[in-house]
Amino acid sequence: MAQSLKHANIVARRSGDRGHADHGWLNTYHTFSFASYYDSSFKTFGALRVLNEDRVAPNTGFPSHTHRDAEIFSYILSGELTHRDSMMGNGATGATTNKDQFYKVRRGDLQFTTGGSGISHSEQNEHASETVHFLQIWALPWKSRLTPRYHDLTVDEDMKRQGFVTLISPLKAGRQASPAQEKAAIPAVPNTIPIHADMLMGASIIPPNSSAIWTIGAHGAVTSKKDRKVYIHLPMTKSGKSKIRLPDATVLAEGDGAFVTDVNADDGLEIQSVGVAEAEVVLLDSN
């Protein structure tokens, strides 16, 4: 069993307690209050505002709609999702596509949009037969009316099987970044997507009877070192065959999550895979 973080407080968020709606074309689970689901106990957690686990049927999707003052990202678990927005038009697909302008995101991809002063976008499943399964995550930015931006990242699956991989980290220049620094978009952790929040996102694919350790705060990448807030989520990817054990011996099944508080930067959070299938774990670590 993983050594317990004695100062950590861990509270499970069970899959069946989440908000849920099945619209036919969209089957969605809400960890936090969203759309018609409202629970005053689950509105935000640190900078984390939305964590929806969505399945969108073929040839359907979210039509064009507007976002402001939110950092919005989609983590693709299976299938493909086509993103279009008011900055780029329809774009093009293929090997020569510039992923900062347009991209059809697939398994292993992370697509990110800064809503900022306002952006209209759509997310469509244009596949003829395959459902797309993804996590839609929103974070609250440290500053309003930012310039809208789009980023994309692909991470090799084998890297995730070796341990936690950091996917998103704070903009290195911070909340006082100049226009030039905003345009340069240099993240605090190299080879990650920069976010306008004191937040990190990590992911790992943990084989059965193995473990992975997330270093809270990613070795100095964050500004707030004390009282970090980490949300752990185990997506529903293995038909119930994956499970994880947390440092306090709490076991999470697919769809479950957990709120981890009273932890600090550089604490090690060990997660064990205790199911019969590998566990794909996503972490959101914020102030």
Side-chain angles (χ1 to χ4, degrees):
M1 182 180 294
Q3 184 176 357
S4 177
L5 288 175
K6 294 182 179 179
H7 54 280
N9 181 42
I10 300 175
V11 178
R13 175 77 158 128
R14 297 300 177 185
S15 179
D17 295 333
R18 296 181 292 174
H20 176 241
D22 190 344
H23 302 286
W25 66 274
L26 168 66
N27 188 6
T28 179
Y29 290 83
H30 309 311
T31 296
F32 299 95
S33 295
F34 189 86
S36 61
Y37 168 66
Y38 178 78
D39 188 322
S40 60
S41 299
F42 301 103
K43 294 193 291 184
T44 60
F45 185 59
L48 181 59
R49 171 62 188 89
V50 170
L51 199 169
N52 294 342
E53 186 163 356
D54 291 346
R55 286 183 172 87
V56 176
N59 293 313
T60 65
F62 300 94
S64 184
H65 54 286
T66 300
H67 288 287
R68 290 183 177 86
D69 294 332
E71 306 284 270
I72 303 164
F73 35 114
S74 299
Y75 180 85
I76 311 301
L77 296 162
S78 64
E80 64 181 38
L81 188 70
T82 300
H83 173 98
R84 294 183 173 89
D85 65 43
S86 53
M87 291 188 295
M88 66 181 74
N90 285 345
T93 58
T96 60
T97 297
N98 180 343
K99 287 167 49 174
D100 284 335
Q101 295 181 346
F102 174 85
Y103 196 53
K104 189 183 291 289
V105 285
R106 299 179 174 88
R107 165 79 188 169
D109 291 336
L110 179 66
Q111 181 272 321
F112 182 97
T113 302
T114 290
S117 59
I119 186 172
S120 296
H121 77 156
S122 66
E123 293 173 303
Q124 299 284 330
N125 179 6
E126 297 180 348
H127 197 278
S129 59
E130 186 177 353
T131 295
V132 61
H133 180 198
F134 66 104
L135 302 180
Q136 181 181 163
I137 305 167
W138 298 6
L140 302 173
W142 55 40
K143 197 173 183 179
S144 63
R145 301 196 60 79
L146 293 160
T147 300
R149 297 196 185 280
Y150 175 87
H151 300 283
D152 221 281
L153 180 71
T154 301
V155 176
D156 184 77
E157 300 279 281
D158 288 339
M159 290 181 62
K160 295 178 189 175
R161 290 187 173 91
Q162 296 172 21
F164 276 103
V165 177
T166 304
L167 308 177
I168 288 175
S169 67
L171 181 71
K172 188 173 183 179
R175 66 177 66 223
Q176 302 304 323
S178 67
Q181 290 170 323
E182 286 282 356
K183 186 175 182 179
I186 298 173
V189 177
N191 303 313
T192 64
I193 290 175
I195 188 170
H196 298 93
D198 199 33
M199 172 183 269
L200 301 153
M201 178 181 180
S204 182
I205 301 172
I206 311 173
N209 303 312
S210 299
S211 64
I213 297 176
W214 172 254
T215 301
I216 295 170
H219 304 289
V222 298
T223 301
S224 298
K225 310 294 186 184
K226 300 292 185 182
D227 297 322
R228 302 290 301 172
K229 297 174 176 65
V230 181
Y231 191 79
I232 303 166
H233 183 67
L234 179 63
M236 300 181 291
T237 59
K238 298 295 181 181
S239 301
K241 295 178 182 179
S242 66
K243 293 182 180 180
I244 57 173
R245 180 183 291 129
L246 306 184
D248 68 342
T250 295
V251 173
L252 301 184
E254 291 181 28
D256 290 348
F259 300 94
V260 182
T261 56
D262 300 330
V263 290
N264 304 312
D266 296 327
D267 285 341
L269 180 59
E270 183 174 5
I271 297 177
Q272 295 178 303
S273 176
V274 295
V276 297
E278 62 184 14
E280 184 161 9
V281 181
V282 173
L283 294 173
L284 288 309
D285 175 349
S286 75
N287 60 337

